[in-house]
Amino acid sequence: MPDAPDSRRPHAETFLTDTTPPALRLREDAWDLTVCDGPVIATAIHDGHTLHPALHDRIALDEQSRWREEDPLTSLLTQVGDARLRVRTSRFEVDLNRPRAGAIYATPEASWGLDVWISPLEEAERAASLALYDRFYAMMGELIDRTVDRWGCVLLVDIHSYNHRRDGPDAAPADAADNPDIELGITTLDPKRWGDTARRFANVLRRHPVRGALPDVRCNVRFPTGGHFPEWVYAHWGERVCTISPEYKKIFMDEWSGQADIPALYALRDGLQHAVDAVRPEFLA
């Protein structure tokens, strides 16, 4: 069973009751959430860069190193969803795509060989970050429950990005054979119910060019096991939620300088919108 609180039961403090679409009761500084009435939820849980003020003097990494390992700009792609979530807190404070016990990077082995903290965090600092983790899963549990109750099933688009120039800004990029432009993680969906849906989704993405070329779109190449968040969704909702996790190679930015390629980013957003539109009728009650 995934290591997260059982969030499937509604938490009255998260959303107002009896509203369609669900409305947040209180603002949460750790994320931005917009909800319209519809069956598509799009998330960018690694987009964020902010840290709790108490951690600013504890972090060993400079801004650029943190930025490089985060998923900046992926929140723009969440525009394809009816519910759109951008987590503002950095994965270096708490990684919402890992089991709770490993959500705070304690060793270099947990974080691409990087020494994240000047010294181990105090228990109170860890507790504050893990409380945020618990609030996230409670909120998502209620949001998915309400959306399933409204529509019968949900399309969850769990958006990420990845680096392909790890050897340095002047080195050759990683071999394209093992690094598709868009990788779709589809290990945490019911293949009998949603396998054809995932294939249609991928085929539509392949038809929409980026920087003058059709993108290389493949499934489960670099990340064959999925992350904790989609695994948790599948464990709780099974075939009622079709989770597709696009991992975008950072062809929309320079991962070393942070310079964005805005036309490429919008082309990727438009391709994703077409893919969502193509399968949306399958999620309408």
Side-chain angles (χ1 to χ4, degrees):
M1 181 65 65
D3 182 11
D6 184 354
S7 310
R8 294 207 308 156
R9 299 280 61 82
H11 291 249
E13 70 275 12
T14 304
F15 291 97
L16 296 171
T17 59
D18 301 323
T19 61
T20 302
L24 281 174
R25 181 180 296 275
L26 297 173
R27 174 179 168 80
E28 170 61 67
D29 290 338
W31 54 73
D32 300 314
L33 175 65
T34 302
V35 183
C36 298
D37 194 21
V40 182
I41 299 173
T43 61
I45 66 174
H46 283 161
D47 185 292
H49 187 66
T50 64
L51 295 172
H52 190 281
L55 299 177
H56 286 172
D57 293 335
R58 307 298 305 279
I59 193 84
L61 300 176
D62 59 30
E63 292 275 332
Q64 197 70 18
S65 297
R66 285 201 294 120
W67 181 272
R68 189 157 47 249
E69 299 297 346
E70 294 159 347
D71 294 354
L73 304 174
T74 50
S75 59
L76 184 139
L77 303 174
T78 66
Q79 292 176 359
V80 304
D82 304 307
R84 303 179 291 280
L85 174 75
R86 180 226 177 189
V87 174
R88 302 176 67 211
T89 298
S90 173
R91 67 189 302 172
F92 285 99
E93 178 173 337
V94 60
D95 191 334
L96 301 173
N97 204 31
R98 296 197 182 181
R100 191 177 189 276
I104 298 173
Y105 304 149
T107 65
E109 291 74 24
S111 51
W112 312 278
L114 300 173
D115 286 308
V116 176
W117 304 108
I118 295 172
S119 60
L121 297 182
E122 301 292 337
E123 186 55 38
E125 294 166 333
R126 291 178 53 85
S129 295
L130 291 176
L132 187 159
Y133 184 101
D134 293 342
R135 293 197 304 276
F136 170 81
Y137 276 93
M139 179 275 294
M140 287 304 305
E142 186 177 352
L143 176 63
I144 295 173
D145 264 348
R146 285 172 175 255
T147 310
V148 167
D149 288 346
R150 172 81 169 99
W151 297 98
C153 56
V154 171
L155 172 62
L156 172 61
V157 187
D158 168 41
I159 302 166
H160 298 269
S161 64
Y162 74 90
N163 294 324
H164 66 119
R165 306 187 68 96
R166 287 195 173 276
D167 292 336
D170 300 320
D175 188 349
D178 300 318
N179 295 271
D181 296 325
I182 307 171
E183 169 164 343
L184 298 183
I186 57 171
T187 59
T188 50
L189 57 74
D190 186 305
K192 291 184 179 179
R193 179 163 186 187
W194 301 117
D196 288 342
T197 301
R199 282 186 284 274
R200 280 189 287 275
F201 191 98
N203 286 335
V204 173
L205 281 179
R206 293 185 182 105
R207 296 200 295 265
H208 292 276
V210 180
R211 299 196 298 191
L214 295 178
D216 175 16
V217 181
R218 284 176 278 160
C219 300
N220 305 330
V221 177
R222 288 176 50 91
F223 307 99
T225 59
H228 176 73
F229 174 49
E231 289 170 353
W232 173 82
V233 171
Y234 186 60
H236 282 309
W237 287 276
E239 55 89 26
R240 290 172 294 173
V241 178
C242 172
T243 300
I244 298 176
S245 298
E247 285 270 2
Y248 287 88
K249 184 161 66 176
K250 290 183 179 176
I251 58 174
F252 57 88
M253 66 179 296
D254 183 316
E255 64 198 53
W256 287 91
S257 71
Q259 179 67 43
D261 183 339
I262 298 300
L265 185 62
Y266 276 94
L268 291 169
R269 191 276 313 273
D270 292 346
L272 186 60
Q273 185 69 71
H274 284 291
V276 168
D277 291 345
V279 301
R280 176 182 287 273
E282 301 172 40
F283 297 87
L284 300 176

